[in-house]
Amino acid sequence: MTQELIQSNQYGAINQRKINDIAILDISHVNHNASLSLYGGQVLSWQPSGEQEVFWLSDSADFSYGKAIRGGIPICWPWFGANLDEQGINGGNHGFARTSLWQLIDSEINKQGVSLTLELVGEDRHPLWPAQFKVTQQLFFGSEFSQQLTMENLSNQDVQYTTAVHSYFAVSAPENVTAPELSSVYFDDKLTGLSAQQTALVNCVGPIDRIYHTSENQQIIDAQWQRKILIETQHCQQYVLWNPGKETASTMDDIHTGGENEYVCLEAANTNWQLIKAGEQTSIKQKVSLESL
Ligand SMILES: O=P(O)(O)OC[C@H]1O[C@@H](O)[C@H](O)[C@@H](O)[C@@H]1O
């Protein structure tokens, strides 16, 4: 495997390698290892020293232009989910950011961790979203992880967006896992089409596909791995909880056999259209940390 050193110092190094034609950055640091793909601007892994991997990546992920990479943190933007307009133009699932090439603008390695800035700039990228825009993604990998997306509307017209940072959290098995704060929150069930449901979440076994209307901090409690994943967000009004379950996963080429038993998606999101006025910007953020049980 050919590697190119991007940056290093006494605390760590960033190397670049390629999968097919896709540039992957590998980070090794005194307190963690991590990797991300410039295609999709997508975090693929983050493993603080002495911990299990935090983000799940499918063994069958398709690293090809035009395809979304299954796992890590796909960026759903400028829309989340399906997007079908009145003329019948179908934008497909989750927008174009996850199938776009992002640029690495800046990186810094220090004792606490590694900071990276990625950018996606464009205009008229899709008939359903012709605006001129810049999205800046600021990532920090250390013993904690944070991710901020700043969305700038560079057009002279207002635009609307929906979004999700579609985190695939690695777990021992969805049946060992719960997210207790969600039990008291109303959700829209994408599988039944029913809105404003409320039921206790016993575990995260799929098929499950729900939009929970809350911006409170969340915990993914994994009884087997004896850890809590803590998630805090800013300017996100929902969380999406998704696991396809065995039957649906077996129809998905980019999930390896049994892969659905290795993760739970809890996606910090804005699933209702949000306005960004002409020339203005807005941002969302998530912070992820770990605790032992
Ligand atoms: O297969 P995709 O496009 O990556 O989407 C995966 C899932 O993403 C979730 O966010 C959606 O709520 C699900 O409905 C969807 O199936």
Side-chain angles (χ1 to χ4, degrees):
M1 180 176 63
T2 344
Q3 289 207 126
E4 185 196 337
L5 180 66
I6 305 283
Q7 196 179 345
S8 71
N9 62 23
Q10 74 265 41
Y11 303 116
I14 306 172
N15 281 283
Q16 180 172 302
R17 69 187 150 104
K18 294 261 171 93
I19 301 182
N20 302 328
D21 253 355
I22 290 176
I24 307 293
L25 302 182
D26 290 318
I27 297 168
S28 53
H29 183 272
V30 288
N31 67 23
H32 72 277
N33 288 320
S35 63
L36 69 129
S37 164
L38 292 182
Y39 174 67
Q42 189 162 331
V43 171
L44 301 177
S45 73
W46 169 55
Q47 186 169 22
S49 309
E51 304 286 350
Q52 303 269 4
E53 173 58 56
V54 179
F55 297 112
W56 175 86
L57 177 65
S58 174
D59 295 347
S60 311
D62 189 349
F63 287 81
S64 312
Y65 289 111
K67 299 279 177 62
I69 302 167
R70 180 74 59 197
I73 316 179
I75 306 287
C76 305
W77 190 89
W79 61 85
F80 166 81
N83 189 3
L84 189 66
D85 80 349
E86 291 99 45
Q87 280 81 49
I89 300 178
N90 186 350
N93 237 10
H94 295 333
F96 51 78
R98 65 176 181 164
T99 50
S100 297
L101 196 53
W102 294 57
Q103 303 292 322
L104 177 65
I105 300 299
D106 196 20
S107 58
E108 189 194 326
I109 307 171
N110 62 30
K111 195 174 174 187
Q112 280 69 43
V114 177
S115 304
L116 298 162
T117 305
L118 306 183
E119 228 174 60
L120 176 64
V121 184
E123 183 175 7
D124 216 358
R125 285 288 313 274
H126 195 281
L128 292 181
W129 217 85
Q132 192 182 352
F133 67 91
K134 178 158 102 176
V135 183
T136 307
Q137 187 180 177
Q138 280 163 301
L139 294 163
F140 173 76
F141 300 94
S143 44
E144 292 190 345
F145 166 78
S146 69
Q147 176 177 39
Q148 176 163 322
L149 287 187
T150 302
M151 306 155 242
E152 292 179 57
N153 177 8
L154 304 176
S155 329
N156 46 24
Q157 281 172 352
D158 298 351
V159 294
Q160 287 191 303
Y161 79 95
T162 52
T163 192
V165 281
H166 194 310
S167 310
Y168 287 78
F169 288 107
V171 297
S172 60
E175 66 183 13
N176 302 328
V177 165
T178 189
E181 275 71 18
L182 293 180
S183 285
S184 55
V185 174
Y186 286 101
F187 64 87
D188 302 329
D189 192 329
K190 292 180 76 176
L191 298 177
T192 61
L194 295 172
S195 304
Q197 302 296 295
Q198 195 187 24
T199 46
L201 188 68
V202 178
N203 59 37
C204 295
V205 174
I208 192 163
D209 195 355
R210 298 176 177 177
I211 298 176
Y212 281 92
H213 295 276
T214 178
S215 51
E216 294 298 310
N217 298 346
Q218 297 300 319
Q219 305 183 51
I220 296 177
I221 299 187
D222 190 328
Q224 178 77 29
W225 282 359
Q226 288 283 295
R227 78 169 178 189
K228 263 186 210 177
I229 301 175
L230 304 162
I231 305 155
E232 280 174 45
T233 65
Q234 285 174 16
H235 305 133
C236 291
Q237 296 168 6
Q238 287 87 16
Y239 284 92
V240 180
L241 179 69
W242 177 66
N243 181 290
K246 189 174 175 177
E247 203 178 318
T248 302
S250 68
T251 65
M252 297 169 77
D253 291 345
D254 59 358
I255 296 186
H256 61 260
T257 307
E260 74 283 359
N261 289 322
E262 299 167 358
Y263 72 85
V264 166
C265 286
L266 190 57
E267 314 161 28
N270 281 321
T271 60
N272 297 328
W273 291 106
Q274 307 288 307
L275 186 76
I276 315 177
K277 290 194 167 158
E280 296 196 354
Q281 66 178 52
T282 187
S283 65
I284 62 161
K285 187 169 182 177
Q286 74 165 341
K287 209 166 96 182
V288 179
S289 55
L290 300 176
E291 258 178 34
S292 301
L293 288 183

